[in-house]
Amino acid sequence: MASTRMSSKGQVVIPSAIRVAHSWEPGIQFDVEDTPEGLLLRPVSTFRATSIEDVMGCTGYTGPRRSLEDLRRAVPPGLDDGS
């Protein structure tokens, strides 16, 4: 079992072996829960990094080019934002 100390600023260092085992990088955020046994740290889930190729399927339109006027005609009255 690894041990650590709390600094005068209330900071606790998570031992390297634990950080490596969980692939925790600097800057990771945790939810902190007070339990009868002590503190429970849960990593806050974040979205995984994506690239343009990962999301291109939603923007990969290959039909003919549309004009701004075509787009305006396609939006029913009352659904635009007024601009």
Side-chain angles (χ1 to χ4, degrees), residues 70-81:
D70 290 336
L71 297 176
R72 286 188 176 131
R73 281 194 305 266
V75 176
L79 289 183
D80 63 0
D81 64 2

Side-chain angles (χ1 to χ4, degrees), residues 36-60:
E37 295 82 24
L39 294 179
L40 175 61
L41 300 177
R42 285 193 189 96
V44 174
S45 63
T46 58
F47 294 103
R48 68 176 179 83
T50 58
S51 68
I52 190 67
E53 291 78 21
D54 293 334
V55 296
M56 186 56 111
C58 67
T59 61

Side-chain angles (χ1 to χ4, degrees), residues 2 4 8 13 17 19 21 23 27-28 31-32 34 36 41 47 51 53 55 57 62 64 82:
T4 190
S8 60
V13 174
R19 294 191 319 263
S23 300
I28 187 170
D31 285 332
V32 181
D34 190 9
L41 300 177
F47 294 103
S51 68
E53 291 78 21
V55 296
T62 58

